Amino acid sequence: MDAITPGLLAPEILEREDVKRALAEHDFSAAFSLIKKWGGLSQNRIAAACQLTPGKVSTIINGQQQVTSFDVICRIADGLRIPGRMVGLADRPWERQSGAPDPPTPPAARTSDDGPWEPVATVGLAADLTRSDLVMDRRSATRALAGTALSGANLLDHLEGWLKPAPPHPAHRRGRIGQREVRELETTARAFRAWDHRFGGGLRRKAVVGQLNEVAGHLEEHQAPDIERGLFQVMAYLSGTAATMAWDSGLQKQAQNYYMLALRAAHAAGDVAFGANVLAGMARQMLYRDHPQDALELVHLAQKRAKQAAGPRVRAMLHTREAWAYAAMGRAAAFRRATGEAIEVLAEAEADEEPYWISYFDEAELAGVTGGRLLDMARADPQQHAESAAENIRSALAGRGSEAGRSHALDLIGLAESHFLMGDVASAVDHTHRAVDAASRTRSSRVRTQLGQLYPYTVGRSASRTVWEARARIREVLSS
């Protein structure tokens, strides 16, 4: 898309009433035909600009296929330099650019797959990564969106060090901080995690990174062994939150860097249970990127070391990640087995017996995760799985309520899609409206991505006013 110049379409083409009407109605069959006729663009050039195949453009022009994906609409707008307002979107990033030259790119930080699994290397990594992140400006962040997270052997081979115990912390004289300061830092980390769990998005990401940079600074000064372990644990908590915030903002490579830092910090702290939790987060990232085999490897890596160290909630959560990977592979029997193991293990959990960061994983969370995976399988076989997906998602909604924020919004989106798959359009529309209300209260790009998956279900039913209204509301939130 960077190769496409802003002047691809002459201004007078976009001022034509027939072009404006076709774009406003998302009639891309007419829009592409008019652009070919009046703009002098070939099908191949339209395809290249919009990151589509020439065959896809041909089927759109011939009326054999409608454009229903929000992502494709964005690519058409950006590729042909069509102002966002003309297709029901907010101003596109290129519309807001001033034309000023890009500022110098900050020096690249070392990524967390460099260096040995030693505490001193982890401190250096944290310092580099946070300093680089804190000086990242808006344009650098936009470029970071294109960063690709590692996968396969490039990722997994670097994590083998997790299986070996960390070397003992060297004896240093007492540093400038004590246990009280460590507890205060942990309280801050806990508050940031709660914020992210409820609201999502990257609104406070830089604040988390700043706090993480401060912890790295304390560790650079050297502390007594018990203080060092406590600081590494806080570093792990903050890095895990920074990872999920980066991921929720679409910064995939940055998220993976923080996940790796969190895993190394947990390793240095001797916190095996939280390290297993970090690996589960990395597995989830792989699942969203359609790498289920990598996700399964990550879960098995977590289970291998955390077998004795993790409590029931952590082990049950790992089983759900395992089930998720099986569902993505289409292995329904293995999915049911792993889900059954999660239910069985979770039944052993007792209140307040495990760390605060896993307290969210209860029967409602298990139901929500299970419902989401059944929904994944229902897209291929709605008759077999859609009703079960809806039943589990309803249990999740009843168990955690609207205060769950991001999870509540994702549940409602999933329930709406389940009803569309079952053919219950009235209920689907009702849940879509509730989902839009919930989505508008979060800053999570994940929520907006999921909401975008509802959009195609509302296309082609224009005879129904209620469906048209739901479609308009989805478009309004996705365009904001």
Side-chain angles (χ1 to χ4, degrees), residues 287-327:
L287 287 161
Y288 271 94
R289 295 183 61 229
D290 295 324
H291 293 294
Q293 187 60 52
D294 287 351
L296 196 58
E297 294 270 3
L298 288 163
V299 173
H300 288 165
L301 193 64
Q303 290 171 324
K304 186 169 184 177
R305 187 159 183 224
K307 212 175 284 184
Q308 307 301 325
R313 292 184 195 278
V314 175
R315 298 201 313 274
M317 180 271 293
L318 291 173
H319 281 307
T320 64
R321 292 288 195 273
E322 187 181 11
W324 191 340
Y326 288 135

Side-chain angles (χ1 to χ4, degrees), residues 15 39 44 55 64 70 83 88 130 166 179 204 244 259 306 343 352 392 411 416 420 445 447 478-479:
E15 290 169 6
N44 286 347
Q64 297 172 316
F70 186 79
T130 55
Q179 289 292 355
R204 296 191 179 183
T244 57
Y259 274 132
I343 294 168
D352 302 324
N392 277 274
D411 286 340
F420 273 123
S445 65
V447 168
L478 295 181
S479 301

Side-chain angles (χ1 to χ4, degrees), residues 371-435:
R373 308 300 60 83
L374 286 165
L375 177 57
D376 291 342
M377 293 191 289
R379 294 185 187 114
D381 188 352
Q383 202 164 18
Q384 180 72 21
H385 301 294
E387 194 168 339
S388 296
E391 183 181 339
N392 277 274
I393 295 170
R394 277 193 291 269
S395 295
L397 283 164
R400 53 191 176 195
S402 59
E403 62 273 12
R406 176 177 57 201
S407 294
H408 181 70
L410 291 169
D411 286 340
L412 287 169
I413 294 167
L415 190 55
E417 186 176 359
S418 297
H419 281 282
F420 273 123
L421 289 168
M422 287 189 285
D424 183 359
V425 176
S427 295
V429 167
D430 176 58
H431 291 304
T432 297
H433 283 295
R434 293 174 60 198

Side-chain angles (χ1 to χ4, degrees), residues 108 168 192 210 217 229 233 295 310 312 335 424 439 468 473-474:
F192 280 130
R229 277 190 293 272
Q233 190 165 53
F335 164 78
D424 183 359
W468 179 87
R473 292 200 66 204
I474 293 173

Side-chain angles (χ1 to χ4, degrees), residues 36 85 96 112 128 199 207 247 330 366 373 387 407 453:
K36 279 182 64 181
R85 65 183 182 279
R96 299 191 290 268
S112 42
D128 283 357
F199 299 107
W247 176 43
L366 177 55
R373 308 300 60 83
E387 194 168 339
S407 294
Q453 291 186 4

Side-chain angles (χ1 to χ4, degrees), residues 93-94 96-106 135-146 206 251:
W94 51 266
R96 299 191 290 268
Q97 289 173 358
S98 64
D102 285 351
T105 302
V135 300
M136 184 185 293
D137 62 14
R138 188 179 297 274
R139 290 190 183 183
S140 299
T142 300
R143 287 194 293 271
L145 284 167
K206 285 296 179 79
L251 300 165

Side-chain angles (χ1 to χ4, degrees), residues 144-327:
L145 284 167
T148 304
L150 298 174
S151 60
N154 289 331
L155 168 65
L156 298 166
D157 283 355
H158 291 296
L159 302 179
E160 288 294 316
W162 152 254
L163 295 173
K164 301 173 185 175
H169 292 258
H172 296 294
R173 62 180 176 79
R174 178 177 172 79
R176 293 190 300 165
I177 66 171
Q179 289 292 355
R180 182 176 63 84
E181 288 84 358
V182 172
R183 286 194 296 271
E184 288 172 355
L185 287 167
E186 184 175 350
T187 299
T188 303
R190 187 168 182 163
F192 280 130
R193 184 180 179 88
W195 170 270
D196 175 60
H197 186 67
R198 182 170 184 186
F199 299 107
L203 188 62
R204 296 191 179 183
R205 192 177 75 84
K206 285 296 179 79
V208 175
V209 173
Q211 189 75 79
L212 183 54
N213 180 261
E214 182 180 336
V215 171
H218 288 312
L219 282 164
E220 283 179 324
E221 294 174 358
H222 299 302
Q223 310 291 338
D226 60 329
I227 301 299
E228 276 201 355
R229 277 190 293 272
L231 287 172
F232 273 118
Q233 190 165 53
V234 172
M235 178 182 282
Y237 295 162
L238 288 169
S239 300
T241 301
T244 57
M245 285 182 163
W247 176 43
D248 217 28
S249 303
L251 300 165
Q252 295 295 333
K253 179 58 177 171
Q254 201 78 336
Q256 192 177 72
N257 286 342
Y258 280 113
Y259 274 132
M260 287 178 154
L261 175 59
L263 186 63
R264 286 174 175 267
H267 181 262
D271 191 340
V272 175
F274 190 75
N277 183 66
V278 172
L279 285 165
M282 297 177 77
R284 182 176 58 176
Q285 184 186 26
M286 289 294 106
L287 287 161
Y288 271 94
R289 295 183 61 229
D290 295 324
H291 293 294
Q293 187 60 52
D294 287 351
L296 196 58
E297 294 270 3
L298 288 163
V299 173
H300 288 165
L301 193 64
Q303 290 171 324
K304 186 169 184 177
R305 187 159 183 224
K307 212 175 284 184
Q308 307 301 325
R313 292 184 195 278
V314 175
R315 298 201 313 274
M317 180 271 293
L318 291 173
H319 281 307
T320 64
R321 292 288 195 273
E322 187 181 11
W324 191 340
Y326 288 135

